[in-house]
Amino acid sequence: MNTRLGEGAIVFGLESSCDETGAGLVRIGEPVDRVDGIDGSDGGPAAAGSHRLELLGHQLASSSEQHARFGGVVPEIASRAHLEELLPTVHAAFDKAGIRQRDVDAIAVTCGPGLAGALLVGVAAAKAYAAAWGVPLFGVNHLAGHVAADTLEHGPLPSPTLALLVSGGHTQLLKITDLGRDIVELGSTVDDAAGEAYDKVARLLGLGYPGGPVIDRLAAQGDPAAVRFPRGLTGPRDRPYDFSFSGLKTAVARHVETLRAGGAEVPVEDICASFQEAVADVLTGKMVAAAMANGIDTVVIAGGVAANGRLRALARQRCDAAGLRLRVPSPGLCTDNGAMIAAVGAHAALAGAAPSAESLSANPGLPVGTVAV
Ligand code: KG4
Ligand code: ZN
């Protein structure tokens, strides 16, 4: 089996780590030495072996509505939904991309981090496809996948790039020298993830699951200065690149309880806006500081929370002021999808990753530094 992938190769990606079943198809394009900057300017060197990627098509099925009444993802429900949705989702992705199954040169599948049972559905399916089609299989990291989503729209990352990864389960600052194989964590959350804070605050306000999109929408009609909620781990003695959101969530809960106990009406829009301001302020402040301190001039924001309107706007403002290049995927590619998994599989293969062994399994706690397994 020839496992070297190059220009023209097609990678099929499968995602099933949480509540979205995703399938995507990506074609490897031309090799790139230097990346695109802003307004056609030079954006610096790309990692060795970088190529452009072309998104051919992708399809998603979500079980989020089935979890809504529980206020969070129920693992057994998610696993069952993946089983039911996987085949139709895969077929729809191929139809959209206008690709036949026999055109695929490699398969990438999320093998972690995520929910064990949910991951297993994707891994088992990907192994079966790889065996049936006689193509190599790459078990890849979901978190690196989020960052790779950006390369589908904006080309290869410059080396190095600073990434702010903000999802439902993770909040991390990463130094990326080569997205296919060299990712180092500079800091992470010590308690809740940013998306988790959105989901918990939405729950206590009775707004349903997932919390991010609805808070984003309501916050746009509220006053971000209505309540000054705490900014976790921003004191002079705190570790500069770590995050904490559980104190913020508790502060919102206490504020709402106090209003309710006093019989006052809860100004939901103002609370959403004030909570969101605290999250965006901390995330962008630490991101810019980490880039400057590490001498990195390009930052990328990835993960579901990167779809957030206020985070995107404040990041733009602060990066412009600091002279940093900012890259953020379109909102539709920020949340979980199969295209980002195909993309990280392509980057890993191009960086020399060996295909996964037949014993490949799900690893719910896969560390972010392990791009391909
Ligand atoms: O990356 P993702 O799709 O799944 C994980 O890997 O966790 O992220 C999901 C998270 C959820 O917590 C959701 O509430 C949050 O991303 N999210 C948002 C927005 N859209 C999704 N948070 C803030 N604003 C949004 N627009
Ligand atoms: Zn995710």
Side-chain angles (χ1 to χ4, degrees), residues 15 17 142-143 146 167-168 303-304 334-336 340:
E15 155 64 31
S17 66
H142 178 84
L143 305 174
H146 273 301
S167 71
C334 286
T335 43
D336 293 350
M340 72 185 205

Side-chain angles (χ1 to χ4, degrees), residues 171-173 185-192 231-235 238-245 282-283 286-287 290:
T171 299
Q172 297 169 323
L173 281 168
E185 184 183 299
L186 301 178
S188 73
T189 181
V190 299
D191 41 56
D192 294 349
R231 271 66 169 160
L233 293 188
T234 51
D238 291 323
R239 282 186 305 230
Y241 310 139
D242 282 348
F243 302 92
S244 167
F245 293 108
V282 173
L283 290 175
K286 291 193 179 231
M287 177 185 79

Side-chain angles (χ1 to χ4, degrees), residues 40-338:
S41 63
D42 180 52
S50 294
H51 282 246
R52 278 186 203 291
L53 300 181
E54 182 192 352
L55 170 53
L56 300 173
H58 75 113
Q59 178 74 20
L60 270 182
S62 176
S63 62
S64 71
E65 279 178 12
Q66 297 180 57
H67 308 288
R69 70 192 168 99
F70 302 102
V73 176
V74 181
E76 289 77 7
I77 294 178
S79 306
R80 178 159 295 277
H82 287 307
L83 271 177
E84 286 164 0
E85 294 298 337
L86 195 127
L87 284 177
T89 305
V90 169
H91 293 154
F94 275 91
D95 285 349
K96 276 187 172 174
I99 292 288
R100 295 160 303 180
Q101 299 192 342
R102 62 174 176 276
D103 297 330
V104 168
D105 297 291
I107 301 177
V109 64
T110 306
C111 62
L115 302 169
L119 289 166
L120 272 175
V121 177
V123 170
K127 282 179 162 182
Y129 282 126
W133 302 343
V135 295
L137 171 65
F138 296 86
V140 296
N141 191 303
H142 178 84
L143 305 174
H146 273 301
V147 180
D150 183 69
T151 67
L152 290 169
E153 293 181 312
H154 303 125
L157 295 175
S159 176
T161 292
L162 184 99
L164 170 66
L165 181 92
V166 273
S167 71
H170 294 81
T171 299
Q172 297 169 323
L173 281 168
L174 308 170
K175 179 176 178 181
I176 300 178
T177 309
D178 181 339
L179 181 53
R181 64 190 170 114
D182 190 0
I183 300 182
V184 175
E185 184 183 299
L186 301 178
S188 73
T189 181
V190 299
D191 41 56
D192 294 349
E196 192 178 351
Y198 269 93
D199 296 336
K200 287 178 172 173
V201 165
R203 189 173 173 173
L204 70 92
L205 290 170
L207 301 175
Y209 171 86
V214 54
I215 291 182
D216 196 351
R217 208 166 50 242
L218 292 171
Q221 293 137 42
D223 174 8
V227 191
R228 172 83 192 175
F229 286 124
R231 271 66 169 160
L233 293 188
T234 51
R237 288 168 188 229
D238 291 323
R239 282 186 305 230
Y241 310 139
D242 282 348
F243 302 92
S244 167
F245 293 108
S246 95
L248 169 61
K249 167 207 66 194
T250 307
V252 176
R254 291 291 102 79
H255 184 79
V256 172
E257 273 166 26
T258 308
L259 288 174
R260 284 183 183 146
E265 197 182 315
V266 177
V268 175
E269 287 86 355
D270 285 352
I271 291 173
C272 287
S274 301
F275 158 75
Q276 177 160 284
E277 195 62 21
V279 175
D281 182 20
V282 173
L283 290 175
T284 55
K286 291 193 179 231
M287 177 185 79
V288 169
M292 305 295 274
N294 285 277
I296 302 175
D297 62 10
T298 299
V299 299
V300 54
I301 310 182
V305 183
N308 185 260
R310 180 57 185 152
L311 176 61
R312 298 168 81 96
L314 190 58
R316 173 70 57 205
Q317 192 184 318
R318 289 184 171 173
C319 285
D320 284 352
L324 298 171
R325 292 189 191 94
L326 172 66
R327 299 171 46 146
V328 197
S330 316
L333 280 181
C334 286
T335 43
D336 293 350
N337 63 80

